[in-house]
Amino acid sequence: ELEDEILGKLSDAEGDITEDKELIESLENAKKLSGEIQQKLAQGEATSLKINETAEKYRSVAKRGALLFFVMNDLYKIHTYYLYSLNAFVVMFLRGIELVQQKRDGGGKKKTGLSLMQRLQAAASKVVQAQRFSWNVDLLKDSFMASDADMQKLAGALLLRQGSQSSIQEPEKEEDPVEMLKHCTSLKKSITNVLYNYLRRGLFEKDKLTVAALLTFKIQ
């Protein structure tokens, strides 16, 4: 649209275009806008790279989740009663993550005087998490949807974050590989325990040892 507007003004220009004030201002605005777009594209690429790097660190947790899901999905071969939905798995998976996060936050106690980054994380968390669980709702699909109010809160938190970064540039702390490994191990353990406890409640007594052994062999 901007390109078409500039080309239209150039084609309609008469006489010396260097004396066309409106055309010159349009070209200057276009140059400025182009620079802003390039800057945002560069920021987007950097953000995408950071997201991919962070996601790669949690690959082992994702593999454990996939393993547990397929084990759970195959339990119907033991008995036709053992049928579980993807939603059920998602709820248990998120519960396992939540327990680890609560432990890291000090037992899940509500804190006062949250920092700007903590408020940003809280707003983002509310955007991607469902408020209530319904067995008829696709949780994976809904996790990418948010209400206008939540999006406005997240946008406000992001603006505050950007404002603070522009005034004070703090060096980013790199994640300690040892701590990341411990964190991933805690996540895998928590998710596995939560899912197994969920499954065993619906198992016949004679099948509990079979399922426990199956999970153990798969994990090993």
Side-chain angles (χ1 to χ4, degrees):
E1 183 179 350
L2 182 61
E3 182 180 357
D4 293 339
E5 181 181 352
I6 294 174
L7 291 175
K9 289 183 178 180
L10 286 173
S11 62
D12 296 337
E14 297 179 357
D16 189 358
I17 61 174
T18 59
E19 296 180 359
D20 191 334
K21 185 177 180 180
E22 183 179 353
L23 178 59
I24 293 174
E25 289 179 351
S26 297
L27 291 173
E28 290 177 350
N29 291 334
K31 182 179 179 181
K32 181 180 179 181
L33 182 59
S34 176
E36 292 176 353
I37 292 174
Q38 292 296 329
Q39 184 179 4
K40 289 181 179 180
L41 285 174
Q43 291 176 352
E45 291 178 358
T47 302
S48 178
L49 182 61
K50 289 182 180 179
I51 291 173
N52 291 335
E53 289 176 352
T54 303
E56 191 65 29
K57 295 177 182 178
Y58 289 96
R59 182 173 292 275
S60 61
V61 180
K63 287 183 178 179
R64 174 63 61 85
L67 182 150
L68 294 173
F69 171 74
F70 286 113
V71 169
M72 183 183 76
N73 199 44
D74 285 341
L75 291 182
Y76 75 93
K77 297 176 181 178
I78 298 176
H79 199 290
T80 54
Y81 282 178
Y82 305 151
L83 294 175
Y84 302 94
S85 67
L86 176 60
N87 276 352
F89 173 78
V90 171
V91 171
M92 295 302 107
F93 188 87
L94 293 178
R95 178 57 180 164
I97 296 174
E98 181 183 355
L99 290 176
V100 174
Q101 190 61 43
Q102 287 178 357
K103 187 176 181 180
R104 293 186 74 181
D105 292 342
K109 295 181 180 179
K110 189 174 181 180
K111 297 181 179 181
T112 57
L114 295 178
S115 66
L116 183 60
M117 188 58 187
Q118 288 172 327
R119 293 201 301 273
L120 172 60
Q121 290 173 342
S125 177
K126 188 175 180 182
V127 168
V128 299
Q129 290 182 358
Q131 295 298 313
R132 291 183 179 180
F133 172 66
S134 172
W135 295 102
N136 297 321
V137 173
D138 188 339
L139 293 182
L140 293 181
K141 180 180 179 181
D142 284 357
S143 66
F144 295 99
M145 302 175 66
S147 66
D148 292 338
D150 289 337
M151 291 303 296
Q152 289 176 0
K153 290 180 181 178
L154 179 57
L158 286 171
L159 289 174
L160 288 173
R161 173 71 174 168
Q162 291 174 355
S164 65
Q165 285 182 337
S166 61
S167 58
I168 301 176
Q169 292 291 338
E170 297 181 356
E172 294 186 2
K173 295 181 180 179
E174 294 186 1
E175 190 77 30
D176 184 0
V178 177
E179 290 299 322
M180 175 58 70
L181 181 61
K182 290 181 180 179
H183 181 50
C184 289
T185 301
S186 298
L187 285 172
K188 290 187 287 186
K189 182 178 179 180
S190 177
I191 292 167
T192 304
N193 288 339
V194 169
L195 186 70
Y196 175 70
N197 286 330
Y198 170 73
L199 291 176
R200 70 179 178 83
R201 294 189 186 101
L203 296 175
F204 291 118
E205 197 65 34
K206 64 184 180 68
D207 294 328
K208 289 183 178 180
L209 183 59
T210 302
V211 173
L214 181 62
L215 281 172
T216 302
F217 293 148
K218 286 287 186 179
I219 292 172
Q220 295 297 330

